Amino acid sequence: MRVLVADDQALVRGAIVTLLDLEPDLTVVAEAGRGDEVLALLPEHEVDVALVDVEMPGLDGIEVCRAIAASGLPTRALVVTTFGRPGFVRRALEAGAAGFVVKDTPASELAAAVRRVHAGERVVDGALAAESLIEGANPLTPREQDVLRATLGGAPIAVVARAVHLSEGTVRNHLSSAMAKTGTSTRGEAAVHARDRGWL
């Protein structure tokens, strides 16, 4: 099986590559440190399974999964990340990922996950799958997510409004709704709460 590993942390990427290359039936044929490098590498190296992190520069792992799914290539995506949050699991699977595991997964289990994904199965870390079912779907609308993402850095309402192309009043309405849904009392708390659950 021909594998690509995409992770912006060189040390982590190198460790995953080394572990997978110890498996007799797996060969790492390409590496990427940025999400926007992945798609060009897939056909060039005839990649069967792409292991992608969630947070990468250029294009995050969720968008990489979406791009792979839309590309028509036979490559299947497996998310391997530190961010073991139920919201990320749901978003990754909805974007077309074939699997989702955390980075502290033992090497033998990671290799087994790659094989299962290549065989057409869907693989999700058991504890995360259970949490995802308990927590339920992301309660935020796409617009509320956009507004909270723009709010994360602490930008004033006027700056957020320009960034998401909405009026300041509409931004305030979305923030108020998001605070109610997240049970928080400030827009900053709502943004952090949503980010920490993988909803953004």
Side-chain angles (χ1 to χ4, degrees):
M1 278 164 271
R2 299 169 65 82
V3 179
L4 172 143
V5 177
D7 194 302
D8 62 326
Q9 296 179 315
L11 189 62
V12 173
R13 187 172 70 246
I16 293 172
V17 168
T18 300
L19 290 170
L20 292 179
D21 273 341
L22 293 173
E23 300 293 325
D25 58 336
L26 302 178
T27 303
V28 177
V29 294
E31 297 179 43
R34 297 175 53 89
D36 53 5
E37 296 171 347
V38 173
L39 211 58
L41 294 170
L42 301 181
E44 179 184 343
H45 295 280
E46 299 179 350
V47 174
D48 296 310
V49 179
L51 278 64
V52 298
D53 190 14
V54 169
E55 291 199 349
M56 292 185 290
L59 200 64
D60 70 43
I62 305 293
E63 291 307 314
V64 170
C65 291
R66 187 169 283 112
I68 291 171
S71 72
L73 294 168
T75 306
R76 304 195 81 214
L78 172 61
V79 175
V80 183
T81 185
T82 306
F83 302 99
R85 300 174 189 140
F88 281 130
V89 175
R90 188 178 296 273
R91 286 176 54 214
L93 296 177
E94 287 172 353
F100 193 107
V101 296
V102 290
K103 285 181 181 171
D104 62 1
T105 299
S108 60
E109 289 182 27
L110 178 59
V114 172
R115 292 183 187 102
R116 288 176 60 197
V117 163
H118 181 254
E121 297 179 42
R122 183 169 271 191
V123 180
V124 179
D125 177 273
L128 285 174
E131 276 185 64
S132 186
L133 285 173
I134 291 165
E135 189 171 281
N138 182 347
L140 302 170
T141 67
R143 265 320 209 178
E144 288 165 355
Q145 292 171 51
D146 291 342
V147 169
L148 287 179
R149 269 189 214 97
T151 301
L152 270 171
I157 295 286
V159 173
V160 172
R162 282 195 301 276
V164 295
H165 309 290
L166 295 172
S167 72
E168 292 182 31
T170 302
V171 165
R172 285 191 185 89
N173 289 341
H174 284 310
L175 288 171
S176 177
S177 175
M179 288 187 298
K181 290 176 180 179
T182 56
T184 54
S185 54
T186 69
R187 60 192 177 107
E189 287 174 5
V192 170
H193 180 93
R195 181 199 63 199
D196 288 349
R197 277 155 185 76
W199 294 342
L200 301 183

